Amino acid sequence: MNKKKVTAVFDIGKTNKKFFLFDKDYQEVFRDYTRLPLTVDEDGYPTEDITLLRQWIKDTFHSILESEEYEVKSINFSTYGASLVHLDHHGNVLTPLYNYTKPIEKEITDEFYAKYGGELKIAKETASPQSGMLNSGLQLFWLKKKYPEIFNKIKYSLHLPQYLSFLFTGIPVSEYTSIGCHTNLWDFDKEDYHEWVYAEGFDQLFGPIIPTASSINTSYKGKKIKIGVGIHDSSSALLPYILSKKKPFLLLSTGTWSISLNPFNEESLGEEDIRNNCLNYLRVDGKRVKASRFFMGNEYRIQVEKLGEYYGKEYGYHRDVKFDQELYLRLIEKPSIYFKFEGISLQRKELHQTDLKPFPTFEEAYHQLMIELMELQIHTIRNAIGNSPIYKIYIDGGFTDNDVFMKLMAHHFSEFKVLSTHSPLGSALGAAMVISNKKVDSKFLKENYRMKKLVPLLLTK
């Protein structure tokens, strides 16, 4: 029996850990996924259990290697960013995989900025809004200050995608998409590590920078396999669009974060951009992507839970709420802010508490919530577009199933061609494509992403 030749991809999200097999045409032929329980670090802060993750990856891959059905020719890894794995001289993991939401002590960040220039200067030069552990370079600085005896044992600090690759190759490397995701490490104008990284000697801890499309041909458990070096998930999700579309577009990737990605804007960030939570990512070729983001999905979940409690509805009720034009028009007659947002730092009027009294039903309050979130969404998309000649917006991720969100997007961006795209494969597909030399054309998205053009609303009373 002829085994089917496949590319394997581990796609590691904060919540779901997924494993895919793709055939030569990038069609999914197998998937497996799990959720792993969290552990805590030495401060009791919840975090990914790197030992469990490593075990699940090894077990899952070994069972596929023994399969009668599939022959794995290559493997790659896409994961969330802002996470470093610190290894000693023997390749053993030295610390917990610190959670990027963990707070850093103020005296440590104060010392960093006193030494290397203020927050705004560092933010502009590294195209990284300053946000503690989310700037993974600061994690290293924090570790050096807080746990010097552990820091001194570090031989390599690897970004999470590259650590997963290292598990299979034993070769420590760095690549652009992981270095370039709000890490504080990269000077975007100099196209090199920032001078502070050299001053601290951190450049010695990172493997050599190699292109994201690199792979290492090796023998693994007696089988010849091409092993990729890993890729940051946001850059990976963008890749199928870049490879198949030549005209400028913006990708709105929705989920826990709502990220507007513009691969056609190479302007340096200004102070105003930084204040508006804009940042740069690096493409697989080291070119910059202008992005703006806000914590939309996280805020949405918090607020929807509260609405359920207030109106006596079970969690999940919100998923069936459809856009109500009459209700929307009534709510926007007298625009005001009713929700106190808890996890979003973008500038808006501050409320002491959410006021739901004006809304007799869950549906009304829900529409108001979406109106207020959409205001911030419009703002972040316009920031990412900047001066670029963009006429098309693709939307992917969890919010493509949200009828109210999608109708409001069609309404507010009616001068653009707005398309919803459904790919349950998201960043996994990009990880498979980046280590293949196969060319794709503009039909690829149409055939694989269930594209749907949104029709602008005709809002009439």
Side-chain angles (χ1 to χ4, degrees):
M1 174 182 150
N2 273 348
K3 289 187 177 185
K4 189 184 275 260
K5 293 180 168 59
V6 291
T7 294
V9 173
F10 282 98
D11 183 21
I12 307 302
K14 275 280 222 178
T15 308
N16 293 316
K17 323 296 169 193
K18 299 176 190 162
F19 174 70
F20 294 96
L21 296 178
F22 295 103
D23 68 13
K24 64 181 186 342
D25 299 315
Y26 301 122
Q27 298 303 303
E28 175 195 336
V29 294
F30 177 87
R31 81 158 57 184
D32 182 18
Y33 75 95
T34 189
R35 289 182 171 195
L36 299 172
L38 295 176
T39 184
V40 293
D41 64 20
E42 60 278 292
D43 297 322
Y45 199 86
T47 190
E48 182 90 62
D49 188 330
I50 191 74
T51 311
L52 267 186
L53 178 63
R54 187 172 59 220
Q55 198 54 53
W56 176 73
I57 286 174
K58 287 283 174 99
D59 291 348
T60 304
F61 192 61
H62 293 167
S63 71
I64 284 294
L65 280 186
E66 288 159 17
S67 149
E68 295 298 317
E69 213 176 328
Y70 305 111
E71 183 185 350
V72 178
K73 302 302 288 178
S74 51
I75 179 173
N76 207 359
F77 315 87
S78 101
T79 87
Y80 57 87
S83 303
L84 290 168
V85 181
H86 309 291
L87 305 175
D88 68 12
H89 285 67
H90 304 292
N92 299 318
V93 177
L94 280 166
T95 70
L97 181 67
Y98 294 111
N99 192 329
Y100 63 56
T101 59
K102 179 185 171 82
I104 292 184
E105 293 83 349
K106 187 173 181 302
E107 59 271 20
I108 294 179
T109 48
D110 285 351
E111 182 183 343
F112 177 79
Y113 296 123
K115 206 168 174 184
Y116 295 113
E119 287 191 43
L120 204 53
K121 175 181 182 289
I122 290 289
K124 268 178 64 180
E125 290 166 355
T126 64
S128 308
Q130 295 304 284
S131 34
M133 285 279 196
L134 207 51
N135 310 123
S136 47
L138 270 179
Q139 291 180 27
L140 259 177
F141 188 82
W142 169 83
L143 195 61
K144 186 177 180 180
K145 297 298 167 190
K146 191 166 179 184
Y147 300 111
E149 65 295 340
I150 294 175
F151 177 83
N152 290 330
K153 291 179 184 163
I154 297 175
K155 172 70 173 165
Y156 291 110
S157 288
L158 300 181
H159 298 277
L160 184 55
Q162 283 70 60
Y163 171 66
L164 300 187
S165 175
F166 174 84
L167 287 178
F168 289 80
T169 65
I171 300 171
V173 297
S174 293
E175 59 74 48
Y176 287 118
T177 68
S178 295
I179 297 167
C181 66
H182 49 77
T183 60
N184 265 15
L185 295 171
W186 195 250
D187 187 318
F188 277 75
D189 288 339
K190 282 194 347 206
E191 298 187 347
D192 191 3
Y193 284 124
H194 193 280
E195 60 191 22
W196 83 261
V197 178
Y198 289 109
E200 291 290 336
F202 291 173
D203 57 302
Q204 305 292 317
L205 303 178
F206 303 130
I209 300 174
I210 62 176
T212 315
S214 308
S215 56
I216 294 152
N217 290 312
T218 188
S219 177
Y220 185 82
K221 294 217 173 280
K223 295 179 168 39
K224 280 203 171 71
I225 297 179
K226 182 163 86 162
I227 298 174
V229 298
I231 181 169
H232 174 239
D233 57 9
S234 296
S235 302
S236 190
L238 182 61
L239 198 63
Y241 296 87
I242 290 176
L243 291 176
S244 56
K245 291 291 176 191
K246 299 295 170 264
K247 288 185 179 161
F249 63 84
L250 177 124
L251 173 64
L252 177 65
S253 182
T254 65
T256 305
W257 288 90
S258 172
I259 308 176
S260 305
L261 295 153
N262 178 359
F264 302 92
N265 184 331
E266 295 195 31
E267 308 158 347
S268 296
L269 298 185
E271 291 187 11
E272 191 57 28
D273 286 320
I274 294 295
R275 275 193 279 271
N276 285 320
N277 215 6
C278 285
L279 61 154
N280 284 150
Y281 287 96
L282 286 175
R283 286 166 51 156
V284 295
D285 55 6
K287 286 184 182 161
R288 69 168 90 203
V289 173
K290 186 174 185 187
S292 61
R293 62 173 185 199
F294 77 115
F295 221 4
M296 180 172 75
N298 184 65
E299 191 63 47
Y300 174 79
R301 182 185 52 76
I302 292 168
Q303 298 298 342
V304 160
E305 280 176 8
K306 291 187 170 182
L307 290 186
E309 281 168 30
Y310 185 87
Y311 292 99
K313 305 289 185 192
E314 280 189 18
Y315 189 79
Y317 180 84
H318 61 282
R319 294 193 188 105
D320 297 322
V321 176
K322 295 283 179 258
F323 180 73
D324 182 327
Q325 185 164 310
E326 207 176 302
L327 181 52
Y328 172 70
L329 288 168
R330 197 167 76 241
L331 289 171
I332 59 169
E333 269 176 8
K334 294 186 189 138
S336 188
I337 288 177
Y338 294 91
F339 283 86
K340 176 180 168 52
F341 285 167
E342 298 186 15
I344 291 177
S345 56
L346 292 175
Q347 294 151 348
R348 70 197 289 268
K349 194 174 98 184
E350 276 302 313
L351 295 182
H352 289 304
Q353 62 189 62
T354 296
D355 177 16
L356 296 176
K357 287 194 291 298
F359 310 108
T361 64
F362 180 100
E363 284 72 11
E364 278 201 41
Y366 181 82
H367 273 67
Q368 180 62 34
L369 170 64
M370 295 313 298
I371 288 166
E372 292 186 31
L373 285 173
M374 184 54 65
E375 271 180 32
L376 297 176
Q377 183 64 87
I378 292 163
H379 187 56
T380 54
I381 289 174
R382 300 272 179 208
N383 282 334
I385 289 173
N387 306 323
S388 314
I390 280 176
Y391 307 102
K392 199 174 272 188
I393 297 174
Y394 296 108
I395 308 171
D396 77 6
F399 278 80
T400 53
D401 294 326
N402 183 316
D403 188 57
V404 180
F405 179 81
M406 296 303 276
K407 294 280 196 321
L408 292 180
M409 278 295 299
H411 171 53
H412 287 292
F413 293 95
S414 56
E415 74 271 35
F416 295 84
K417 189 173 177 186
V418 182
L419 297 118
S420 82
T421 68
H422 265 277
S423 170
L425 310 170
S427 45
L429 189 57
M433 293 172 90
V434 76
I435 56 165
S436 155
N437 301 321
K438 189 175 185 303
K439 295 273 183 281
V440 292
D441 60 20
S442 56
K443 288 199 219 79
F444 180 81
L445 288 180
K446 220 173 251 162
E447 288 162 4
N448 293 276
Y449 276 64
R450 299 212 318 271
M451 286 206 162
K452 211 165 78 193
K453 186 172 179 228
L454 304 191
V455 181
L457 303 175
L458 295 167
L459 291 180
T460 49
K461 278 274 191 183

